[in-house]
Amino acid sequence: MAEKQFAGGSEAEIAVHWGEEQLIHPTVEFIAQANMTDASIYKRFSLENFPNCFKEYADLLDWYEYWHTTLDTSDAPCWKWFVGGKINASYNCIDRHLAKNKNKTAIHFVPEPIDERYEHITYRELYVRVNEFAALLRDFAKLKKGDRVTLHMPMVPELPITMLACARLGVIHSQVFGGFSGRACADRIVDSQSRVLITMDAYWRSGTLGDHKQNADIACGLAATDGQKVDTVLVWQRYPGKASSPTPMVKGRDHFVNELLKDFYGARVEPEKMPAEAPLFLMYTSGTTGKPKGCQHSTGGYLAYVAGTSKFVQDIHPEDVYWCMADIGWITGHSYIVYGPLAVCASTVIYEGVPTFPDAGRAWRIAQDLGVNIFHTAPTAIRALRKLGPDEPAKYTYNFKHMTTVGEPIEPEVWRWYYNVVGKGKAAIVDTWWQTETGGFLCSTIPAITPMKPGSAGPGMPGIHPIIYDEAGNVIPPGAGRAGNICIQNPWPGGFQTIWGDRDRFVRTYYERYCKNPKSKEWRDWPYMTGDAAVEAPDGYFRILGRVDDVINVSGHRLGTKEIESAALVVEEVAEAAVVPVAHEIKGREPDLYVALKPGFTPSRELEKKISDAIAREIGKIAKPRKVWIVKDMPNMRRVLAAISNKKDVGDVTTLANPDIVEDIRKMAG
Ligand code: WT7
């Protein structure tokens, strides 16, 4: 295997190496109704027809002005799509559907408490609420085109309402995952220079109505220390008119949205006609170094790409009820709960809470209640649902025609449970491989055209041309049986434009490695490096092995090792910290943390807990290590620690300054 070529302690090194699987074909019923059954789509989107092939996606949208240049490469590798085009994302997701579909449900909201009613928001109602809130943002919060605003909101309809209101004004939203800490929120406020924060007082999670307002206070305090003052905090109330959080409002800064909104009832805001390449939003993601990267996504290219993939890969029709169980705080939610589905006039489901609350049947009851027929989730959730209630799906009468898995590699065993038990042997599955940076899918099958293969994401999407390079820059051909760095040969409209405020880092991180000529303005010279390891089968299907860099994919979400290590160093007793990925049954990967203490401090259970709590406080619960190992000294080589954590051979350690410590640590880790 090719493991040797990867940096020490990478996910690719601990990937499960399962064998080739048989192809599985979708049912005739699925094919008969599918949006895309014409196999010539691959030919239409071949490299010879690049970039004009993407007109097919852009034509799914309504433009104020059509573009004159499909792809402008003059600022390579910052690509500009559909240049000259004018468009508004909010108009495309709402207004244009009103003529035919105003009474159709746009959003089904499912609160976590089982005794609370579902809410069904029609496109007309969405139009009214987005307009009123857009007026408030413009006239009260004084936000205008190009401003950035940070959102720190839970899974409630007010979140897409807020996003679409921003989009209506051309204001760039930056939603921070609700489960992230006030500290994480502050870092994103500072980096994006937001003077307005939009949040909610409380939300339900696993049966508890947690105080979320407190995070806003922490975030604003820390942001101010770091030089970014937030002058306005808009607080939605989970129960309008009722206090759900004990944290007091700060006079002059904090305002309840539902109180202010009364002044804007009936207000209408003309959508801004935005240039296609104007940024629509920022989405922060973890990288190899400490600071999260603000991935800047465009308006026209992004929306075209998510609309096209929602239609052809998610197979969304007007009569479908579509449920993506991701959180809108991640890219999956932006692209495939909000922008993609609403652009194609779907009914999209938003569920506030945990899929296994109060029991393992909850998700299937929701699907049954709402008539969900397209279901979208991550392997981590599938593993959890399978473990807790392997026989639950059979008890309910929902009927899925289509299911998605996304976020991390799925083991063929888990895939088969998803297919046979959740999908009842008839739902077509797509395994979509992509990233925060890429806006939409990179590899996936087109469900009625290309058959499924458990554990493989499938071929490149139409118009996406993956290529695998080895460390020396040679192409690894299909069927070679070797893994390498998977890259994309060409730009595509959904790709991010840059890292907010850091073009150099953008070029360095994603393009420098395999760039053929740094002066070139030709897209052919700039393969995009994904940071994943993959193997290509003889039939052109890609199997993704995981990250080759210092990023850990926990439950389908990226955490930077440096970020976790910095959080550990906040604890005064800690001198050094090193984090490594460990295989985990449900989460896919989990961080294991090794720390060495400053002289004079002694290890204890309390200290382990203090360190673990500090990480949850600094980043969020998702980053909590499986175990904190307090060690005497650090071999300071992630490869060695990862081998110990994963119970593998540590290899040659003779070059370490302190080789004896390795044996000590190994004994301790059992
Ligand atoms: C990383 C991106 C894409 C939205 C959710 C995560 C891994 C993603 C798959 C898949 C195997 C996958 C990759 C990628 N990944 N989808 N279908 N099979 N691995 O977005 O947080 O930006 O993470 O998730 O390692 O690079 P993200």
Side-chain angles (χ1 to χ4, degrees), residues 328-343:
I328 299 174
W330 310 110
I331 192 71
T332 307
H334 274 49
S335 299
Y336 298 111
I337 297 178
V338 181
Y339 285 113
L342 295 179

Side-chain angles (χ1 to χ4, degrees), residues 93-94 96-108 119-128 315-322 340-349 370-371 373-374 401:
C93 291
I94 310 170
R96 68 171 179 148
H97 303 317
L98 297 180
K100 284 201 190 123
N101 284 300
K102 63 175 180 293
N103 295 324
K104 177 186 163 144
T105 300
I107 296 171
H108 293 285
E119 234 184 279
H120 310 276
I121 301 170
T122 62
Y123 272 94
R124 175 77 202 171
E125 170 78 3
L126 184 62
Y127 171 79
V128 169
D315 199 51
I316 300 175
H317 297 58
E319 61 275 22
D320 292 327
V321 179
Y322 168 85
L342 295 179
V344 298
C345 198
S347 294
T348 188
V349 177
L370 290 172
N373 65 341
I374 307 181
K401 68 163 184 177

Side-chain angles (χ1 to χ4, degrees), residues 332 407-409 431-436 532 544 547 553 556 558:
T332 307
E408 44 176 324
D431 181 344
T432 61
W433 168 67
W434 59 296
Q435 312 178 294
T436 303
D532 281 337
I544 310 298
R547 306 292 305 175
N553 188 330
R558 275 153 66 178

Side-chain angles (χ1 to χ4, degrees), residues 146-406:
D147 289 349
R148 279 81 54 207
V149 45
T150 297
L151 283 45
H152 194 195
M153 295 188 59
M155 282 290 286
V156 289
E158 288 80 359
L159 173 50
I161 288 169
T162 302
M163 291 160 64
L164 291 162
C166 290
R168 205 164 183 87
L169 299 170
V171 168
I172 303 166
H173 58 75
S174 166
Q175 152 72 4
V176 179
F177 169 55
F180 272 157
S181 64
R183 167 84 259 176
C185 183
D187 294 342
R188 288 149 180 81
I189 289 172
V190 175
D191 191 74
S192 63
Q193 302 131 299
S194 301
R195 45 159 281 270
V196 176
L197 172 65
I198 307 177
T199 188
M200 183 167 259
D201 58 351
Y203 63 95
W204 290 98
R205 189 111 199 124
S206 296
T208 309
L209 184 63
D211 175 10
H212 187 54
K213 166 67 168 66
Q214 58 177 343
N215 293 318
D217 291 36
I218 297 169
C220 293
L222 293 168
T225 315
D226 293 346
Q228 181 62 37
K229 183 166 188 283
V230 171
D231 60 46
T232 305
V233 179
L234 299 174
V235 185
W236 292 93
Q237 285 182 301
R238 175 63 178 78
Y239 298 98
K242 191 177 146 204
S244 303
S245 149
T247 307
M249 299 289 275
V250 175
K251 214 168 166 317
R253 188 195 71 183
D254 301 353
H255 311 272
F256 286 125
V257 173
N258 36 288
E259 285 171 11
L260 299 174
L261 262 181
K262 299 193 173 97
D263 294 339
F264 297 94
Y265 284 166
R268 298 293 178 260
V269 173
E270 199 47 43
E272 286 284 340
K273 299 182 172 61
M274 301 302 290
E277 70 272 22
L280 178 63
F281 65 87
L282 306 179
M283 170 63 67
Y284 283 84
T285 190
S286 297
T288 307
T289 56
K291 202 170 136 192
K293 305 174 275 197
C295 295
Q296 177 186 316
H297 282 283
S298 74
T299 307
Y302 170 81
L303 200 64
Y305 198 67
V306 297
T309 48
S310 293
K311 183 155 183 180
F312 303 138
V313 180
Q314 299 305 102
D315 199 51
I316 300 175
H317 297 58
E319 61 275 22
D320 292 327
V321 179
Y322 168 85
W323 182 16
C324 170
M325 224 165 60
D327 194 292
I328 299 174
W330 310 110
I331 192 71
T332 307
H334 274 49
S335 299
Y336 298 111
I337 297 178
V338 181
Y339 285 113
L342 295 179
V344 298
C345 198
S347 294
T348 188
V349 177
I350 295 181
Y351 172 49
E352 179 178 29
V354 180
T356 50
F357 179 86
D359 57 69
R362 183 70 191 273
W364 320 126
R365 279 200 299 282
I366 293 171
Q368 174 178 279
D369 286 351
L370 290 172
V372 171
N373 65 341
I374 307 181
F375 184 67
H376 187 152
T377 191
T380 183
I382 304 171
R383 292 183 208 112
L385 289 163
R386 174 174 179 244
K387 187 162 187 210
L388 288 171
D391 306 320
E392 283 299 305
K395 299 181 186 158
Y396 301 94
T397 60
Y398 68 81
N399 223 326
F400 293 159
K401 68 163 184 177
H402 180 292
M403 305 193 299
T404 300
T405 167
V406 61

